[in-house]
Amino acid sequence: MPEPAHTPRGATEADRESLRALVGEVFRPSLMDEYPQLYHAETLGNCRVVEVGGDIVSHVGMTVQDAAIYGCRVRVACIGGVATHPDHRGNGYAGACLDDAIRVARESGTDIMMISGDRSLYRRAGCRRVGEEYSPSLSGEALAALDHSDLTLREATVADIPTLRALHHGEPLHWKRDPDTWRRAMECGWVMNRKSRFVIVEAYGEAAGYVIVQDISDGETWPQVSEYAGDRARMLRALAAYAADTEAPGMRWHVSGHDAFGLAVARAAGARWPESTTSGTYVVLDLPQLLGRMRPYLTEYLGGADALRVEPIGDGYRFDLDGATHHVPDIGCAAHFVFGTREDRPTAAPTSGPLADAFPIPALFYGLNYV
């Protein structure tokens, strides 16, 4: 029989040990220590919880921060650590916590929500897999053919945070991370659910880029790069240097479909590059607001700043550009339209004209913002 309704609320410091017990049972005891960006004192209140009988029995973790897409600043909520105690499942607590997280995110002016998973709970909220991405891999034999004699790799330390921030901010897609975010990630050493190494790539005696490489887990043989920054040809040669130093039999990484040079470098080296989407699922929380923030970029393709109008129609939206209209029937299709996808689309995106030129825009990849 379902339990009485319990209203979700923000987590507090008084909830910390009960919350640790919950996520420790559902996931693993070390989870809270692996994600300090989610559970540190300044952001704990973003996490939504349900309390029953003095215990936290359901939880949706959330961080909110800014990012940049082609110079346009957007606000992003990241969701993770979604858990309900086995004895309290079937009462709708996780759904209530997710709904409350969406409410809080919208009220704080958030444009996009990224969730580190894909299941019916998220699909019902409009989340979809987005991005026209690739997941290249290169064997150790192919990497050995790349000359990396001009590069030096070294472990990054917290003293390198200003350098790491500058390199990351040089990317066309990047997160607006403060030094504490970098420090917490480096001190715990976990990125995208794996123990990871932060490596500076030096050329001509200066830092030219970085790679964050996950340790190999059970059943895997090739390390995965979870984040990188810098010239793409140099970064690929840095992976060759890393493989040589660690005797890795191959390397895997992620490339945005908008990174034409990154793809060209991977192809030229003989990489396999299967199609993929960005990690997890996306939902657009406020489409007109997001497109307003992306206006400087979109204006290059659409003419005047006010040329594109977006109007809510039922559960979806209508795009109107100089009398030419395009309708997306629901919020999930809106995410597909804006960011592209490898999933089947219920409605076709424009294949020609300025809307097809401007969309999709590139989707953010988590890197060390994964929760």
Side-chain angles (χ1 to χ4, degrees), residues 52-84:
V52 176
D55 295 324
I56 301 303
V57 301
S58 191
H59 161 260
V60 168
M62 179 170 69
T63 64
V64 179
Q65 67 183 101
D66 289 353
I69 301 175
Y70 290 157
C72 302
R73 197 175 188 112
V74 298
R75 174 151 286 195
V76 185
C78 295
I79 298 289
V82 178
T84 300

Side-chain angles (χ1 to χ4, degrees), residues 321-355:
L321 180 62
D322 294 332
T325 62
H326 183 78
H327 179 248
V328 293
D330 56 49
I331 193 171
C333 291
H336 283 167
F337 176 85
V338 172
F339 293 106
T341 189
R342 303 293 189 191
E343 295 186 317
D344 291 336
R345 303 188 195 194
T347 181
T351 57
S352 62
L355 282 177

Side-chain angles (χ1 to χ4, degrees), residues 15-278:
D15 300 319
R16 185 174 291 277
E17 292 311 309
S18 182
L19 181 55
R20 181 183 293 275
L22 171 65
V23 297
E25 177 164 345
V26 174
F27 297 107
R28 53 188 176 273
S30 59
L31 185 88
M32 286 187 73
D33 298 323
E34 294 162 9
Y35 290 97
Q37 65 269 42
L38 184 59
Y39 297 116
H40 73 91
E42 294 176 11
T43 61
L44 184 63
N46 286 329
C47 299
R48 316 319 291 171
V49 297
V50 166
E51 178 184 356
V52 176
D55 295 324
I56 301 303
V57 301
S58 191
H59 161 260
V60 168
M62 179 170 69
T63 64
V64 179
Q65 67 183 101
D66 289 353
I69 301 175
Y70 290 157
C72 302
R73 197 175 188 112
V74 298
R75 174 151 286 195
V76 185
C78 295
I79 298 289
V82 178
T84 300
H85 192 281
D87 294 342
H88 296 272
R89 291 174 183 167
N91 294 293
Y93 292 155
C97 284
L98 181 60
D99 289 344
D100 199 45
I102 290 172
R103 176 191 63 80
V104 170
R106 282 191 169 125
E107 289 177 356
S108 69
T110 302
D111 306 296
I112 308 161
M113 179 172 279
M114 299 170 61
I115 301 183
S116 57
D118 184 3
R119 55 175 167 140
S120 59
L121 172 65
Y122 311 145
R123 292 272 168 168
R124 289 194 297 271
C127 299
R128 299 291 185 270
R129 288 197 175 274
V130 303
E132 298 176 355
E133 319 285 287
Y134 297 89
S135 298
S137 60
L138 205 57
S139 69
E141 181 180 3
L143 288 165
L146 301 177
D147 180 17
H148 52 83
S149 58
D150 61 324
L151 302 181
T152 301
L153 306 188
R154 63 174 177 83
E155 292 281 347
T157 70
V158 292
D160 294 308
I161 287 175
T163 298
L164 293 167
R165 291 185 73 204
L167 290 166
H168 181 64
H169 286 177
E171 292 290 309
L173 278 67
H174 64 264
W175 297 88
K176 298 295 185 180
R177 300 171 181 151
D178 60 27
D180 284 342
T181 299
W182 283 96
R183 177 185 54 77
R184 283 189 288 265
M186 296 179 74
E187 288 177 349
C188 81
W190 280 77
V191 179
M192 295 192 73
N193 229 24
R194 302 281 176 82
K195 194 70 175 174
S196 300
R197 296 176 63 187
F198 291 67
V199 180
I200 294 281
V201 181
E202 293 183 333
Y204 305 106
E206 298 291 338
Y210 70 82
V211 291
I212 302 176
V213 186
Q214 296 177 333
D215 288 353
I216 297 171
S217 65
D218 293 342
E220 295 180 344
T221 56
W222 292 17
Q224 172 75 42
V225 177
S226 55
E227 184 173 304
Y228 56 92
D231 173 79
R232 297 307 188 245
R234 186 175 285 138
M235 288 305 97
L236 185 58
R237 293 189 296 112
L239 298 189
Y242 185 92
D245 289 348
T246 61
E247 299 183 349
M251 299 292 294
R252 301 176 293 137
W253 66 103
H254 170 269
V255 178
S256 167
H258 290 73
D259 187 352
F261 187 61
L263 287 171
V265 167
R267 291 192 196 104
R272 297 175 55 201
W273 43 288
E275 295 180 347
S276 66
T277 58
T278 194

